[in-house]
Amino acid sequence: MCRSSAEGGRRCSGRSCGAADARARQARSRARRGLDAAWAAGDPDQVAAAEAKYTAVTGTPPPAPNVVGTFAGQLPATPEPTAPEKPMPKPEPQPSKPEPADAPSGSTEDRVRDAVAKLAAQGEWVGIIDVRKALGDVDHDEVSRALKELARTNPNVHLVPEDNRKALTSEDHAAAVDYSGESQHLIAIEQPRDTSAKDRVQTAGVGNATDDDLAQVLRDPLTPSRTYDEIRAEQKRREQQVVTSPTPSDATPVAETARAESRPPATAEQRVRDVYRELASRPQGWVRLSDVRERLGATLPREEVDKALQAMTRTGRVHLSPDSDRRGLTQVDHDSAVRIGREDNHLLAIEPEDDE
């Protein structure tokens, strides 16, 4: 209770100091904080509820949202000045990225066929390491899968190991494909056989058939021996017609003709080496003996070619090997083989000379 100044008390401020007034002030303060929180949240339902509560507690309508204050009698607070916003820096122009090159189309099997076709002619052996380099953007395991699938499903695709193991590098070993329980280093894709060639040869006759049809019939393992001998004889006859000694014309200088006549004839070994260089797709690559004999034609007797090949292998730089894919061998391959010891060899590889 307030006492008068005459009684030694303090002057009453006129404001009640009771507990009820204190609770009322607390209720107004909570109502104001709730209203500020609702405005900050921006939820219309929450703002409406806070304003209703504020009116019920204070008995006055809530202030406008842009008026900062608490309850009656309190001066509105002065908003703190805000620093001017700094202009955002302009983004630096980014260098234009080059357009990505078109990804190679087609399945991995198709790309393997294309790579082999570009690296070698039909039927020639190509190193698997070279195929992998041509398909550098394809996963190693995916290329291995495609090679195995081609060898398993296509009778014209053949995988063989490298016979000269000493010539294999660490890259060759890493590129090899494990197929049929053995590491395979070479691949060859033969041209599909033309099954109608035999009918065309029978209709036209061996002497009138085209060279391509005769070659197709020779590749057919069901060709009778008599027909095979007739075709080989016809091929030799045609080769002899092509390989004729040209007669020097009147315009040929006499000195040049004399030099050509004075040159010693090439030996059988040199002829074999020259043909090998023409057929090999890469240094020391495997070449079929049937192709070597076909290029040599009738200019060298078979016995002379065999004797030269056997002598060349004794140098250690010339290698003969059997074809591990026996099912892919044609009658021409069997007839062209060179027998050394107890094995028929169908493939030839020659190491480069020191000056090559």
Side-chain angles (χ1 to χ4, degrees), residues 126-133 140 144 147 160-178 182-187 282-286:
V126 174
I128 292 178
I129 184 174
D130 297 325
V131 176
R132 293 192 184 277
K133 289 179 180 179
H140 184 280
S144 299
L147 290 169
V160 297
E162 173 68 62
D163 181 63
N164 186 13
R165 301 286 175 168
K166 295 181 180 179
L168 292 174
T169 64
S170 58
E171 292 182 349
D172 291 319
H173 288 294
V177 176
D178 188 7
E182 195 173 7
S183 295
Q184 314 290 337
H185 310 93
L186 303 170
I187 180 174
R282 63 188 179 101
Q284 205 170 324
W286 289 105

Coordinates of all heavy atoms in Angstrom, one line a residue, residues 126-133 140 144 147 160-178 182-187 282-286:
V126 N 44.7 -60.5 -88.8 CA 44.9 -59.2 -88.2 C 45.1 -59.4 -86.7 O 44.5 -60.2 -86.1 CB 43.6 -58.3 -88.4 CG1 43.8 -57.0 -87.7 CG2 43.4 -58.0 -89.9
G127 N 46.1 -58.6 -86.2 CA 46.3 -58.7 -84.7 C 45.2 -58.1 -83.9 O 44.6 -57.1 -84.2
I128 N 44.8 -58.9 -82.9 CA 43.7 -58.4 -82.0 C 44.0 -57.1 -81.3 O 43.2 -56.2 -81.1 CB 43.3 -59.5 -81.0 CG1 42.6 -60.7 -81.7 CG2 42.3 -59.0 -79.9 CD1 42.3 -61.8 -80.8
I129 N 45.3 -56.9 -81.1 CA 45.8 -55.6 -80.5 C 45.4 -54.5 -81.4 O 45.1 -53.4 -81.0 CB 47.3 -55.7 -80.2 CG1 47.7 -54.4 -79.5 CG2 48.1 -55.9 -81.5 CD1 49.2 -54.4 -79.0
D130 N 45.5 -54.7 -82.8 CA 45.2 -53.6 -83.7 C 43.7 -53.3 -83.7 O 43.3 -52.2 -83.9 CB 45.7 -54.0 -85.1 CG 47.2 -54.1 -85.2 OD1 47.9 -53.4 -84.4 OD2 47.7 -55.0 -85.9
V131 N 42.9 -54.4 -83.6 CA 41.5 -54.2 -83.5 C 41.1 -53.4 -82.3 O 40.2 -52.5 -82.4 CB 40.8 -55.6 -83.5 CG1 39.3 -55.4 -83.4 CG2 41.1 -56.4 -84.8
R132 N 41.7 -53.7 -81.2 CA 41.4 -53.0 -79.9 C 41.8 -51.5 -80.1 O 41.1 -50.6 -79.6 CB 42.1 -53.6 -78.8 CG 41.6 -55.0 -78.4 CD 42.2 -55.4 -77.0 NE 41.8 -56.7 -76.7 CZ 40.6 -57.1 -76.1 NH1 39.7 -56.1 -75.8 NH2 40.4 -58.3 -75.8
K133 N 42.9 -51.2 -80.8 CA 43.3 -49.8 -81.0 C 42.3 -49.1 -81.9 O 42.0 -47.9 -81.6 CB 44.7 -49.8 -81.6 CG 45.8 -50.2 -80.6 CD 47.1 -50.1 -81.3 CE 48.2 -50.6 -80.3 NZ 49.6 -50.5 -81.0
H140 N 37.3 -52.7 -72.8 CA 38.1 -53.9 -73.1 C 37.3 -55.2 -73.1 O 37.3 -56.1 -74.0 CB 39.3 -54.0 -72.1 CG 40.2 -55.1 -72.4 ND1 40.0 -56.5 -72.0 CD2 41.4 -55.2 -73.0 CE1 41.0 -57.2 -72.4 NE2 41.9 -56.5 -73.0
S144 N 36.2 -58.0 -76.0 CA 36.4 -59.4 -75.9 C 35.1 -60.2 -76.1 O 35.1 -61.3 -76.7 CB 37.0 -59.7 -74.5 OG 38.2 -59.0 -74.3
L147 N 34.3 -60.3 -79.8 CA 35.1 -61.3 -80.6 C 34.7 -62.7 -80.3 O 34.7 -63.5 -81.3 CB 36.6 -61.0 -80.1 CG 37.2 -59.7 -80.6 CD1 38.6 -59.5 -79.9 CD2 37.4 -59.7 -82.1
V160 N 43.0 -67.3 -83.8 CA 44.1 -68.2 -83.6 C 45.2 -67.6 -82.7 O 45.3 -66.4 -82.6 CB 44.8 -68.6 -84.9 CG1 43.8 -69.3 -85.8 CG2 45.3 -67.4 -85.6
P161 N 45.9 -68.4 -82.0 CA 47.1 -67.9 -81.2 C 48.3 -67.6 -82.1 O 48.4 -68.1 -83.2 CB 47.4 -69.0 -80.2 CG 46.9 -70.2 -80.9 CD 45.8 -69.9 -81.8
E162 N 49.1 -66.7 -81.6 CA 50.4 -66.4 -82.3 C 51.3 -67.6 -82.1 O 51.6 -68.0 -80.9 CB 51.0 -65.1 -81.7 CG 52.3 -64.7 -82.2 CD 52.3 -64.4 -83.7 OE1 51.7 -63.4 -84.0 OE2 53.0 -65.1 -84.5
D163 N 51.8 -68.1 -83.2 CA 52.7 -69.2 -83.1 C 54.1 -68.8 -82.5 O 54.7 -69.6 -81.7 CB 52.9 -69.9 -84.4 CG 53.8 -71.1 -84.4 OD1 53.4 -72.1 -83.7 OD2 54.8 -71.1 -85.1
N164 N 54.6 -67.7 -82.9 CA 55.9 -67.2 -82.5 C 55.7 -66.5 -81.2 O 55.6 -65.3 -81.1 CB 56.5 -66.3 -83.6 CG 57.9 -65.9 -83.2 OD1 58.5 -66.5 -82.3 ND2 58.4 -64.9 -83.9
R165 N 55.8 -67.2 -80.1 CA 55.5 -66.6 -78.8 C 56.6 -65.6 -78.4 O 56.3 -64.7 -77.6 CB 55.5 -67.7 -77.7 CG 54.4 -68.8 -77.9 CD 53.1 -68.2 -77.6 NE 52.0 -69.2 -77.9 CZ 50.7 -69.0 -77.5 NH1 50.4 -68.0 -76.8 NH2 49.8 -69.9 -77.8
K166 N 57.8 -65.8 -78.9 CA 58.9 -64.9 -78.6 C 58.6 -63.5 -79.1 O 59.1 -62.5 -78.6 CB 60.2 -65.4 -79.1 CG 60.6 -66.7 -78.5 CD 62.0 -67.1 -79.0 CE 62.4 -68.4 -78.4 NZ 63.7 -68.9 -79.0
A167 N 57.8 -63.4 -80.2 CA 57.5 -62.1 -80.8 C 56.4 -61.3 -80.1 O 56.2 -60.1 -80.3 CB 57.1 -62.3 -82.3
L168 N 55.7 -62.0 -79.1 CA 54.6 -61.3 -78.4 C 55.2 -60.3 -77.4 O 56.1 -60.6 -76.6 CB 53.8 -62.3 -77.7 CG 53.0 -63.3 -78.6 CD1 52.3 -64.3 -77.8 CD2 52.0 -62.5 -79.4
T169 N 54.6 -59.1 -77.4 CA 54.9 -58.1 -76.4 C 53.9 -58.2 -75.2 O 52.9 -58.9 -75.3 CB 54.9 -56.7 -77.0 OG1 53.6 -56.4 -77.4 CG2 55.8 -56.7 -78.2
S170 N 54.2 -57.4 -74.2 CA 53.2 -57.3 -73.1 C 51.9 -56.8 -73.6 O 50.8 -57.2 -73.0 CB 53.8 -56.4 -72.0 OG 54.0 -55.1 -72.5
E171 N 51.9 -55.9 -74.5 CA 50.6 -55.4 -75.1 C 49.8 -56.5 -75.8 O 48.6 -56.5 -75.7 CB 50.9 -54.2 -76.0 CG 51.4 -53.0 -75.3 CD 51.6 -51.8 -76.3 OE1 51.5 -52.0 -77.5 OE2 51.8 -50.7 -75.8
D172 N 50.6 -57.3 -76.5 CA 49.9 -58.4 -77.2 C 49.3 -59.4 -76.2 O 48.1 -59.9 -76.5 CB 50.9 -59.2 -78.1 CG 51.4 -58.4 -79.3 OD1 50.6 -57.7 -79.9 OD2 52.6 -58.5 -79.6
H173 N 49.9 -59.7 -75.1 CA 49.4 -60.6 -74.1 C 48.1 -59.9 -73.5 O 47.1 -60.6 -73.2 CB 50.4 -60.9 -73.0 CG 51.5 -61.8 -73.5 ND1 51.3 -63.1 -73.8 CD2 52.8 -61.6 -73.7 CE1 52.4 -63.7 -74.2 NE2 53.4 -62.8 -74.1
A174 N 48.2 -58.6 -73.2 CA 47.1 -57.9 -72.6 C 45.9 -57.9 -73.6 O 44.7 -57.9 -73.1 CB 47.5 -56.5 -72.2
A175 N 46.1 -57.8 -74.9 CA 45.0 -57.7 -75.8 C 44.4 -59.0 -76.2 O 43.4 -59.1 -76.8 CB 45.5 -57.0 -77.1
A176 N 45.1 -60.1 -75.9 CA 44.6 -61.4 -76.3 C 43.2 -61.7 -75.7 O 42.8 -61.2 -74.7 CB 45.6 -62.5 -75.8
V177 N 42.5 -62.6 -76.4 CA 41.2 -63.1 -76.0 C 41.3 -64.5 -75.6 O 41.8 -65.4 -76.3 CB 40.2 -62.9 -77.1 CG1 38.8 -63.5 -76.7 CG2 40.0 -61.5 -77.5
D178 N 40.8 -64.9 -74.4 CA 40.8 -66.2 -73.9 C 39.6 -66.9 -74.5 O 38.4 -66.7 -74.2 CB 40.7 -66.3 -72.4 CG 40.9 -67.7 -71.8 OD1 41.2 -68.6 -72.6 OD2 40.7 -67.9 -70.6
E182 N 42.4 -71.1 -74.6 CA 43.7 -70.7 -75.1 C 43.6 -69.2 -75.4 O 42.6 -68.7 -75.9 CB 44.1 -71.5 -76.3 CG 45.6 -71.3 -76.7 CD 46.0 -72.3 -77.8 OE1 45.1 -72.9 -78.4 OE2 47.2 -72.4 -78.1
S183 N 44.8 -68.5 -75.3 CA 44.9 -67.1 -75.6 C 45.0 -66.9 -77.1 O 45.9 -67.5 -77.7 CB 46.1 -66.4 -74.9 OG 45.9 -66.4 -73.5
Q184 N 44.1 -66.2 -77.7 CA 44.0 -65.9 -79.1 C 44.5 -64.5 -79.4 O 44.1 -63.6 -78.8 CB 42.6 -66.1 -79.7 CG 41.9 -67.3 -79.2 CD 42.4 -68.6 -79.7 OE1 43.1 -68.6 -80.8 NE2 42.2 -69.7 -79.0
H185 N 45.4 -64.4 -80.4 CA 46.1 -63.1 -80.7 C 45.7 -62.6 -82.1 O 46.0 -61.4 -82.4 CB 47.6 -63.2 -80.6 CG 48.1 -63.9 -79.3 ND1 48.3 -65.2 -79.2 CD2 48.3 -63.3 -78.1 CE1 48.7 -65.5 -78.0 NE2 48.7 -64.4 -77.3
L186 N 45.2 -63.4 -83.0 CA 44.9 -63.0 -84.4 C 43.5 -63.3 -84.7 O 42.9 -64.3 -84.2 CB 45.8 -63.8 -85.3 CG 47.3 -63.6 -85.1 CD1 48.1 -64.6 -85.9 CD2 47.8 -62.2 -85.4
I187 N 42.9 -62.6 -85.6 CA 41.6 -62.8 -86.1 C 41.6 -62.6 -87.7 O 42.3 -61.8 -88.2 CB 40.6 -61.7 -85.5 CG1 39.2 -62.0 -86.1 CG2 41.0 -60.3 -85.8 CD1 38.1 -61.1 -85.4
R282 N 50.8 -56.3 -91.7 CA 51.7 -55.6 -90.7 C 53.0 -56.4 -90.6 O 53.0 -57.6 -91.0 CB 51.0 -55.6 -89.3 CG 50.7 -56.9 -88.6 CD 49.9 -56.7 -87.4 NE 49.6 -58.0 -86.7 CZ 50.3 -58.5 -85.7 NH1 51.3 -57.8 -85.2 NH2 49.9 -59.6 -85.2
P283 N 54.1 -55.8 -90.1 CA 55.3 -56.6 -90.0 C 55.1 -57.8 -89.2 O 54.5 -57.8 -88.1 CB 56.3 -55.6 -89.3 CG 55.7 -54.2 -89.6 CD 54.2 -54.4 -89.7
Q284 N 55.7 -58.9 -89.7 CA 55.6 -60.2 -89.1 C 54.2 -60.7 -88.9 O 53.9 -61.5 -88.0 CB 56.4 -60.2 -87.7 CG 56.9 -61.5 -87.2 CD 57.8 -61.3 -86.0 OE1 58.5 -60.3 -85.9 NE2 57.7 -62.3 -85.1
G285 N 53.3 -60.3 -89.7 CA 51.9 -60.8 -89.6 C 51.8 -62.1 -90.3 O 52.5 -62.4 -91.2
W286 N 50.8 -62.9 -89.9 CA 50.6 -64.2 -90.5 C 49.9 -64.1 -91.9 O 48.9 -63.3 -92.1 CB 49.7 -65.1 -89.6 CG 50.5 -65.5 -88.4 CD1 50.3 -65.0 -87.1 CD2 51.5 -66.5 -88.3 NE1 51.2 -65.6 -86.3 CE2 51.9 -66.6 -87.0 CE3 52.1 -67.3 -89.3 CZ2 52.9 -67.4 -86.5 CZ3 53.1 -68.2 -88.8 CH2 53.5 -68.2 -87.5

